[in-house]
């Protein structure tokens, strides 16, 4: 594979046990976690555009008009999760509420969590000191689904990520909540009338709070719900009937070129055409993700030789089947 000579100092780690303090190179745009620019006048880069076809965007718009969850399927790396952030950014919906589903996930945790033990401990300490018992709202935090259903003038964006990794009953558990747009918090509904209004914590990263009246939360605007699935198992018909389905295909060569240009600049492939060719050849024989191509092009753009001792194989490794 032809490539330009690597930068002389691209190997930060030498493997010789000698302590060093090399300058860290610039991170890829998709791996920069809100780093503050060193120069006060430096501008924060604008978000990269999310590339989607008109037909796929029409399905998104239909879900928005119908106030229905959008069930997005496709291979890893096709942009399923990124779609939720693209919608939230373009519609100015604020922070995306993210619920990453795993085998231990339950709807209860996604709605709210009540720290009864913490409240009991705090109440005991306060009583011993002659103080006032702490408010229950300080020990009850809404989860991402619970926060998404808090009433507001604008809908919230909710990403339910990889639902097929959850328990087999989880999709059906979501049905009632998504149909009613509401749920109950029994710990609050049992409070006396004088404590009918309680401020609880939310899942927002800024430490937000929400008012809950008589233990009942009901949305005024149904949230923009994006549910992703890798197609690992089928969902119940009743659940599918209440969703709009969008299957994101693997991007073709032109779409890949557009994605690379959007993330790394229009000239990123000038000296990396061979990387794109290698990616397309390998993808034809096994599953690869688009971000693997971005990683390879980023390394080439930084002057690294992808011929170095199987480095390309490490970056463009197959995602399915035997390693």
């Amino acid at each position: 594979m032809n490539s330009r000579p690597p930068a002389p100092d691209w190997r930060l780690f030498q493997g010789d046990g000698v302590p060093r303090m090399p300058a860290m190179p610039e991170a890829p745009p998709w791996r920069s976690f809100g780093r503050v620019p060193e120069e006060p006048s430096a501008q924060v880069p604008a978000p990269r555009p999310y590339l989607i076809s008109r037909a796929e965007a029409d399905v998104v718009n239909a879900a928005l008009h119908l106030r229905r969850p959008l069930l997005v399927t496709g291979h890893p790396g096709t942009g399923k999760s990124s779609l939720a952030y693209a919608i939230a950014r373009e519609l100015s919906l604020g922070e995306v509420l993210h619920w990453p589903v795993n085998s231990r996930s339950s709807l209860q945790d996604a709605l709210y969590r009540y720290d009864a033990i913490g409240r009991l401990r705090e109440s005991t300490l306060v009583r011993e000191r002659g103080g006032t018992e702490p408010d229950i709202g300080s020990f009850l935090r809404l989860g991402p689904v619970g926060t998404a259903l808090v009433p507001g003038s604008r809908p919230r964006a909710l990403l339910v990520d990889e639902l097929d990794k959850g328990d087999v009953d989880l999709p059906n558990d979501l049905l009632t909540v998504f149909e009613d747009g509401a749920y109950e918090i029994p710990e609050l509904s049992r409070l006396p009338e004088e404590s009918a209004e309680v401020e609880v914590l939310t899942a927002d990263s800024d430490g937000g709070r929400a008012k809950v009246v008589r233990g009942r939360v009901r949305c005024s605007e149904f949230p923009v719900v994006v549910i992703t699935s890798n197609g690992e198992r089928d969902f119940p018909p009743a659940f599918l009937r209440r969703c709009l389905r969008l299957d994101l295909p693997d991007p073709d060569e032109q779409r890949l070129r557009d994605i690379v240009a959007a993330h790394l600049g229009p000239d990123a492939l000038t000296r990396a055409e061979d990387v794109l060719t290698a990616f397309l050849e390998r993808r034809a024989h096994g599953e690869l993700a688009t971000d693997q191509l971005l990683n390879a092009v980023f390394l080439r753009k930084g002057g690294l030789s992808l011929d170095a001792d199987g480095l390309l194989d490490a970056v463009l490794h197959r995602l399915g089947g035997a390693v």
Side-chain angles (χ1 to χ4, degrees):
M1 176 177 291
N2 297 325
S3 63
R4 61 176 175 172
D9 57 348
W10 75 270
R11 289 187 172 89
L12 306 175
F13 172 71
Q14 303 294 334
D16 55 11
V18 178
R20 299 175 178 83
M21 191 178 291
M24 294 300 291
E26 183 179 354
W30 54 91
R31 295 297 296 172
S32 297
F33 300 99
R35 182 176 62 85
V36 178
E38 295 181 2
E39 296 294 332
S41 60
Q43 295 183 348
V44 178
R48 267 57 183 182
Y50 183 87
L51 302 179
I52 188 171
S53 70
R54 176 55 62 89
E56 293 159 354
D58 286 345
V59 178
V60 175
N61 281 294
L64 294 173
H65 281 276
L66 294 172
R67 306 300 200 272
R68 288 290 188 183
L70 184 66
L71 177 60
V72 187
T73 58
H75 291 147
T78 51
K80 299 186 298 296
S81 300
S82 300
L83 178 58
Y85 293 91
I87 295 172
R89 183 168 59 247
E90 191 168 323
L91 301 185
S92 301
L93 300 180
E95 178 184 3
V96 174
L97 298 163
H98 182 203
W99 181 25
V101 177
N102 57 50
S103 59
R104 300 178 301 278
S105 297
S106 68
L107 178 59
Q108 173 64 50
D109 290 339
L111 291 176
Y112 73 95
R113 288 186 177 184
Y114 173 50
D115 185 6
I117 295 177
R119 187 189 182 202
L120 176 61
R121 185 186 301 114
E122 186 71 17
S123 299
T124 301
L125 291 174
V126 169
R127 280 196 300 268
E128 291 175 352
R129 299 169 183 171
T132 304
E133 185 173 335
D135 181 69
I136 188 175
S138 299
F139 300 91
L140 198 150
R141 181 182 296 276
L142 304 183
V145 177
T147 302
L149 295 175
V150 170
S153 58
R154 295 276 291 169
R156 296 299 304 270
L158 170 65
L159 170 61
V160 181
D161 217 358
E162 297 190 334
L163 181 60
D164 43 2
K165 289 187 176 180
D167 184 81
V168 66
D169 293 326
L170 188 55
N172 281 331
D173 293 341
L174 284 168
L175 285 180
T176 301
V177 172
F178 283 163
E179 282 298 287
D180 295 345
Y183 63 97
E184 184 182 27
I185 303 176
E187 291 84 352
L188 300 184
S189 61
R190 292 193 294 261
L191 295 176
E193 186 63 28
E194 59 268 21
S195 303
E197 293 188 3
V198 178
E199 274 200 350
V200 300
L201 303 170
T202 69
D204 294 297
S205 61
D206 60 359
R209 286 180 171 266
K211 182 185 295 184
V212 178
V213 181
R214 294 183 178 84
R216 186 74 172 170
V217 178
R218 179 183 294 276
C219 67
S220 52
E221 282 285 346
F222 188 75
V224 177
V225 181
V226 175
I227 303 172
T228 71
S229 167
N230 289 327
E232 296 179 1
R233 64 179 174 85
D234 296 329
F235 295 119
F239 176 79
L240 295 176
R241 181 170 62 85
R242 290 167 171 84
C243 300
L244 266 72
R245 304 182 65 173
L246 172 63
D247 183 59
L248 293 180
D250 292 330
D252 59 17
E253 180 177 345
Q254 185 55 52
R255 177 71 65 84
L256 288 172
R257 291 180 179 276
D258 294 339
I259 292 173
V260 171
H263 284 82
L264 297 174
D267 61 341
L269 283 174
T270 301
R271 298 186 180 181
E273 286 289 343
D274 54 329
V275 176
L276 176 59
T277 300
F279 175 85
L280 291 170
E281 290 176 351
R282 291 171 181 238
R283 194 179 69 174
H285 300 286
E287 188 176 312
L288 292 179
T290 305
D291 55 357
Q292 291 175 281
L293 172 64
L294 291 173
N295 291 336
V297 176
F298 179 81
L299 293 176
R300 170 62 62 77
K301 187 177 180 182
L304 277 67
S305 172
L306 295 177
D307 292 328
D309 297 327
L311 182 57
L312 186 66
D313 292 333
V315 177
L316 299 184
H317 60 87
R318 288 191 302 166
L319 304 180
V323 177

